[in-house]
Amino acid sequence: MGASSGIGEATAKLLAQHDTKLVLAARRIDSLKAIKEAYPEANIHIQQADVTNFEDVKKVAQLALDTFGKIDVLYNNAGIMPTAPIIEGRRDEWKQMLDINIMGVLNGIAAVIPFMAEQKSGHIIATDSLAGHVVYPDSAVYCGTKFAVRAIMEGLRQEQRENNIKSTIISPGAVATELYNTINDKDVAEKVHQMQIESGLIPEDIASAVMFAISTPDRMSISDMIIRPTSQQ
Ligand code: NDP
C-alpha cells in the first residue's frame, strides 16, 4: 500500500527486479501503471486504493489472493506528514493523519490477517519513522501517529507469533521523497525538503532494508529497523 512514489515506489521496483509477485496499490493509478510498464517481464498487478477506505483495501487483498492464491507479505507504507505547531489547531490535517497513518495501517492488517492466520504464515511490514521513537517540535501529531503504529505492530507481533506471522517496522530518518508536499505551510515544507536532501538517504536505501526484512528465514523476525542518515546525531 502506498507504492506510487518515494519509498513505496523504490521498494516496488527493487522487488520487481528480484522476480517478486506484486500487487501495487495507491490512489495515483497512473504512477502505478508507469511502474508496471517499466518492468514488462515482472509479475505486477495494480489496484487503485485509498487506505482509509476498507472496501478498497479489501479489494487489494482479494486481488492478491485471486491472482497468487496466498498473501506472503503486506507492506503498509502509505503515509502523510502535514506537520504544524499544535497551537495552529489544524484539526482537518490531524484527522487526515490519523485516518491515513493509523487507520490505513489497521485497514491493511484487518484485510489480510484472517488469511495469514489460516495460512499459518505471513509478514506484515509498516513504514514507521524515527518520529515513532522520538518526538520533534511542530510534529506532535505526526509523531503520535508513528508512535501508535509502533505500538500496534508490536501488539500484532505478540498476538500473532504463534501463527508464524512476522511483524516488522522500518523506521527511517529523513529520506528525499515527495513527503514534504503533504505539508501545507510552504515555509515549513521547504525546510523539511532541504533537510530530506541534506540527510543523504534515498528511497532505495529504505527499499533495500525492506527487501532484507522480507528475505529472512522463517525462524528469524526483525521487529524494528532504525535507519538513520550516517551524519545524523
Ligand atoms: P511519498 O509522499 O513519496 O509517498 C507516500 C505514499 O503514500 C504514496 O505512494 C502515496 O500514494 C501513499 N498514500 C498517501 N495517502 C494515501 C492514501 N490515502 N491511500 C493510499 N495511499 C496513500 O513519501 P515517502 O515515500 O517518504 O513516504 C512513505 C512512508 O514513509 C510514509 O508512511 C512516511 O510517513 C514514511 N517516512 C518517510 C520519511 C521521509 O523522510 N521521507 C521518514 C520516515 C518515515 P498516493 O498519493 O498515490 O495515494
Side-chain angles (χ1 to χ4, degrees), residues 1-226:
M1 311 300 302
S4 58
S5 63
I7 293 167
E9 177 183 5
T11 304
K13 289 179 171 175
L14 184 64
L15 295 175
Q17 287 160 28
H18 287 82
D19 297 330
T20 312
K21 296 172 183 165
L22 296 169
V23 174
L24 307 181
R27 292 167 302 181
R28 286 171 292 171
I29 191 76
D30 288 348
S31 307
L32 302 179
K33 275 187 194 148
I35 298 172
K36 182 175 162 61
E37 281 163 17
Y39 297 90
E41 306 294 314
N43 198 341
I44 300 180
H45 299 260
I46 58 173
Q47 175 72 46
Q48 188 168 38
D50 183 327
V51 294
T52 64
N53 181 332
F54 189 46
E55 293 307 312
D56 279 9
V57 177
K58 280 197 290 191
K59 273 188 205 155
V60 178
Q62 199 58 52
L63 176 59
L65 278 174
D66 292 346
T67 313
F68 305 130
K70 66 195 283 256
I71 301 174
D72 293 326
V73 178
L74 164 69
Y75 183 20
N76 268 325
N77 171 68
I80 58 167
M81 189 182 67
T83 53
I86 290 179
I87 188 72
E88 293 181 10
R90 297 180 181 228
R91 294 180 63 259
D92 288 352
E93 291 180 355
W94 297 346
K95 180 153 183 349
Q96 271 185 327
M97 272 190 281
L98 298 177
D99 282 350
I100 295 175
N101 298 4
I102 302 177
M103 270 317 293
V105 166
L106 287 168
N107 283 340
I109 292 171
V112 303
I113 203 77
F115 305 109
M116 289 184 173
E118 201 180 314
Q119 289 166 190
K120 294 252 179 274
S121 70
H123 191 170
I124 298 180
I125 302 177
T127 313
D128 203 58
S129 176
L130 264 185
H133 298 259
V134 180
V135 177
Y136 301 101
D138 301 341
S139 300
V141 180
Y142 178 72
C143 294
T145 65
K146 294 300 186 179
F147 270 68
V149 168
R150 185 153 67 95
I152 290 162
M153 293 296 287
E154 171 58 12
L156 175 72
R157 186 193 71 75
Q158 292 178 15
E159 289 180 27
Q160 288 299 320
R161 65 198 162 82
E162 283 174 6
N163 281 328
N164 290 316
I165 297 172
K166 299 183 188 182
S167 162
T168 301
I169 58 169
I170 309 282
S171 300
V175 185
T177 68
E178 296 174 13
L179 193 65
Y180 70 94
N181 279 333
T182 63
I183 303 172
N184 292 314
D185 181 317
K186 291 251 171 321
D187 292 340
V188 178
E190 194 38 50
K191 262 192 226 153
V192 169
H193 189 203
Q194 275 311 316
M195 197 179 77
Q196 288 182 334
I197 292 168
E198 282 162 20
S199 98
L201 280 181
I202 56 174
E204 289 72 14
D205 297 328
I206 313 307
S208 66
V210 176
M211 197 164 110
F212 174 63
I214 289 172
S215 60
T216 52
D218 286 351
R219 65 178 179 277
M220 174 178 166
S221 174
I222 296 173
S223 304
D224 189 358
M225 291 174 85
I226 296 182

